[in-house]
C-alpha cells in the first residue's frame, strides 16, 4: 500500500458556545484545559503534564465539536483523524501513520507559530482495542504500540506541546494500557442531551433560519427524546427543506414536526415523551 497524505490539519472554527446541552462535559473539559494552559506553573510544581483526554459517549453528541473547541480555547492547531484510518493489512503502515500524525501536528504548530497542538482521534477503539485478542491482527497491536510510544515520548518542555483528545463509544473495548496514568488519564462523558439540552441545540441550529411565529422549539425538544445533537441538526435542516419544497419563506412548526418523523424513520429512534 502507498502511504496516503497526512491527515487534514485545519484552523478550528468552533467555540464552546456553539455546543448545546453539554454543560458538564464542557466544564470538565475546560477544567482540564485550564490546567494545561497554566504551563509555567505546571513546570514549577513538577506536575506530570496532561497528555490525553478521552471523550466517551454515543455518536453524534458533539465529541468532535468539543475537541475543535478545545483547540480554539487553548490556541492550539487542530489535527483530526479516525481510528479506522490506521488499519491496513500491511505490517507497519498503521504505525507509520501514527508517527506521521504526530509529525503533522508538530510541523503545523511550528508553521503557525503555535506552542501547542490538539490531535483528535475519533473511534480510538478501532486502533486502541485490547491487544492480543485477535491473533490475525498483529498489525493493530503495532499501531497501538506506536501511539503509546508517541504519548510516552511527549515531554513537558517540548517546543510544541501536544494533547491527544480521543473519542469512543466503547471504553470497555480499550486496551488498559491506554488508560494508565500519563496516557488518557482524564475521561469526559458526553451523553445524549436531556430536554433542556435538546432545546439549546435546536436553538443553535435554527439561529440562522427564518422561523414562522408558530414555532415552538420547546415542544420539538419535548418530542425528541433520544435524539443526539447530530439528529437535531438534521431535523432543523430537514424542516427547512420541507418548507422550501412547499414554497414557504419561513419554516413552520408542522415542518419541524414532520422532520422529527423523517429523522426517526432514518434512524429508528425511540420516541418516548417528555424527559
Ligand atoms: P461521532 O462519534 O459520530 O463522530 P460526535 O460525538 O463526534 O459523533 P459531532 O461530530 O461533534 O459528534 O457532531 C456531529 C454534528 O452534530 C455537529 O457537526 C453538529 O452539527 C451536531 N451536533 C452534535 N452535538 C451537538 C451539540 N451538543 N450542540 C450543537 N450541535 C451538535
Amino acid at each position: 500500500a502507498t502511504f496516503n497524505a497526512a491527515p487534514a490539519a485545519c484552523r478550528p472554527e468552533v467555540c464552546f458556545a456553539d455546543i448545546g446541552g453539554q454543560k458538564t462535559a464542557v466544564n470538565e473539559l475546560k477544567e482540564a484545559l485550564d490546567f494545561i494552559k497554566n504551563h509555567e506553573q505546571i513546570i514549577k510544581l513538577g506536575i506530570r503534564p496532561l497528555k490525553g483526554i478521552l471523550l466517551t459517549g454515543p455518536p453524534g453528541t458533539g465529541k468532535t465539536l468539543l475537541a475543535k473547541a478545545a483547540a480554539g480555547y487553548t490556541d492550539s492547531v487542530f489535527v483530526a483523524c479516525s481510528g479506522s484510518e490506521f488499519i491496513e493489512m500491511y505490517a507497519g503502515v498503521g504505525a507509520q501513520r501514527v508517527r506521521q500524525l504526530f509529525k503533522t501536528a508538530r510541523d503545523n504548530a511550528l508553521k503557525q507559530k503555535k506552542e501547542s497542538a490538539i490531535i483528535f482521534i475519533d473511534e480510538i477503539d478501532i486502533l486502541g482495542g485490547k491487544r492480543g485478542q485477535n491473533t490475525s491482527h498483529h498489525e493493530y497491536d503495532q499501531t497501538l504500540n506506536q501511539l503509546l510510544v508517541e504519548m510516552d515520548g511527549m515531554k513537558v518542555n517540548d517546543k510544541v506541546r501536544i494533547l491527544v483528545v480521543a473519542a469512543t463509544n466503547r471504553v470497555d473495548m480499550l486496551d488498559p494500557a491506554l488508560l494508565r496514568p500519563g496516557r488518557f488519564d482524564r475521561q469526559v462523558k458526553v451523553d445524549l442531551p436531556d430536554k433542556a439540552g435538546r432545546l439549546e441545540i435546536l436553538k443553535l441550529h435554527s439561529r440562522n433560519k427564518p422561523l414562522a411565529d408558530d414555532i415552538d422549539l420547546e415542544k420539538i425538544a419535548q418530542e425528541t427524546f433520544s435524539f443526539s445533537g447530530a439528529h437535531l441538526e438534521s431535523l432543523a435542516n430537514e424542516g427547512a427543506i420541507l418548507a422550501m419544497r412547499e414554497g414557504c419563506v419561513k419554516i413552520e412548526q408542522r415542518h419541524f414536526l414532520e422532520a422529527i418523523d423523517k429523522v426517526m424513520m432514518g434512524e429508528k429512534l425511540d420516541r418516548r415523551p417528555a424527559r
Side-chain angles (χ1 to χ4, degrees):
T2 48
F3 180 60
N4 286 327
C10 56
R11 220 172 258 274
E13 69 295 334
V14 178
C15 62
F16 285 118
D18 299 318
I19 302 169
Q22 294 293 355
K23 269 192 194 63
T24 314
V26 167
N27 288 342
E28 280 178 16
L29 184 57
K30 268 192 183 165
E31 210 179 276
L33 297 172
D34 283 338
F35 168 77
I36 62 163
K37 275 169 105 177
N38 291 327
H39 183 61
E40 308 281 292
Q41 254 184 316
I42 300 259
I43 293 188
K44 274 190 204 142
L45 290 171
I47 295 172
R48 174 160 46 75
L50 181 65
K51 297 179 177 180
I53 298 177
L54 196 62
L55 306 177
T56 64
T61 44
K63 296 186 288 298
T64 309
L65 288 180
L66 282 164
K68 282 187 179 166
Y73 186 73
T74 53
D75 192 28
S76 305
V77 294
F78 182 73
V79 181
C81 62
S82 165
S84 57
E85 287 168 42
F86 296 90
I87 302 311
E88 286 286 334
M89 273 161 58
Y90 300 94
V93 176
Q96 190 191 338
R97 284 201 179 141
V98 171
R99 273 193 297 274
Q100 182 63 49
L101 175 68
F102 280 76
K103 184 175 179 321
T104 301
R106 284 191 188 100
D107 290 352
N108 284 324
L110 290 173
K111 245 186 261 161
Q112 295 179 33
K113 299 195 168 42
K114 304 234 185 203
E115 289 176 3
S116 53
I118 287 189
I119 293 179
F120 177 63
I121 309 177
D122 203 1
E123 300 183 294
I124 182 102
D125 43 288
I126 299 183
L127 91 82
K130 293 190 175 101
R131 282 172 293 185
Q133 282 205 333
N134 190 340
T135 44
S136 63
H137 284 87
H138 176 59
E139 169 57 4
Y140 287 41
D141 297 357
Q142 281 189 22
T143 307
L144 172 54
N145 284 338
Q146 188 58 38
L147 176 64
L148 298 175
V149 165
E150 294 287 347
M151 290 185 78
D152 291 348
M154 283 152 51
K155 296 286 176 285
V156 71
N157 41 15
D158 283 347
K159 209 165 179 188
V160 175
R161 300 191 303 275
I162 294 185
L163 176 70
V164 186
V165 177
T168 182
N169 193 19
R170 295 298 311 270
V171 70
D172 56 306
M173 295 280 287
L174 293 183
D175 194 293
L178 276 171
L179 306 175
R180 255 177 237 148
R183 289 158 183 176
F184 291 97
D185 41 14
R186 288 250 172 169
Q187 284 191 29
V188 174
K189 239 176 132 195
V190 192
D191 272 329
L192 284 173
D194 60 6
K195 190 185 150 202
R198 294 196 294 276
L199 179 60
E200 258 182 60
I201 298 171
L202 283 165
K203 282 185 181 160
L204 283 169
H205 286 288
S206 46
R207 65 185 164 184
N208 296 322
K209 294 184 169 62
L211 302 181
D213 290 341
D214 76 334
I215 287 284
D216 180 356
L217 291 181
E218 266 212 62
K219 170 126 172 72
I220 306 292
Q222 172 113 357
E223 294 281 319
T224 44
F225 173 81
S226 83
F227 275 47
S228 67
H231 292 129
L232 295 165
E233 187 275 333
S234 170
L235 184 161
N237 192 53
E238 285 296 331
I241 291 172
L242 290 167
M244 188 183 74
R245 285 212 186 115
E246 289 182 11
C248 301
V249 288
K250 288 188 173 176
I251 304 164
E252 296 170 21
Q253 182 75 350
R254 62 196 168 85
H255 297 130
F256 275 169
L257 288 171
E258 204 177 314
I260 297 179
D261 291 332
K262 279 206 89 167
V263 174
M264 274 196 327
M265 264 193 308
E267 294 272 342
K268 294 207 170 55
L269 288 168
D270 177 8
R271 187 185 182 181
R272 264 180 277 160
R275 262 249 296 203

